[in-house]
Amino acid sequence: MSTTEGALEFGGLVKIGDLAAQAGVTPDTLRYYERLGLLPPPHRTRTGYRLYDGVFPERIGFIHKAQALGLTLEEVCEGLEVQA
């Protein structure tokens, strides 16, 4: 299933594998970011599948840019907490 098909199937939400492919990371990386608090908890289906909306790619891009500037994931998380 393509990302577009996945988005249509879930009303604009995409599964973790589709988002990971878009972001150039693995699904495990997204789960790790979620555990650290870098990503807010995603929507869930009744069966527990994670579904992500359009805010997540922007957040992942921010995390990658911050890392490229030399920030650790912990520092990025602190910055996101201040922002919220």
Side-chain angles (χ1 to χ4, degrees):
M1 175 186 316
S2 74
T3 303
T4 305
E5 290 169 352
L8 294 174
E9 181 180 345
F10 298 109
L13 302 174
V14 296
K15 291 182 181 178
I16 192 168
D18 295 330
L19 178 62
Q22 287 176 356
V25 298
T26 65
D28 285 338
T29 298
L30 297 179
R31 290 183 198 100
Y32 180 64
Y33 287 175
E34 185 183 339
R35 282 194 305 273
L36 291 178
L38 292 166
L39 295 177
H43 304 281
R44 295 276 187 149
T45 65
R46 285 183 283 171
T47 55
Y49 285 98
R50 289 169 169 85
L51 296 176
Y52 298 88
D53 61 28
V55 174
F56 287 90
E58 292 176 20
R59 176 70 68 99
I60 296 164
F62 173 80
I63 294 166
H64 289 168
K65 288 175 186 171
Q67 285 184 296
L69 292 171
L71 296 175
T72 65
L73 289 177
E74 182 178 301
E75 292 168 330
V76 174
C77 190
E78 290 171 5
L80 290 171
E81 288 174 2
V82 170
Q83 179 187 14

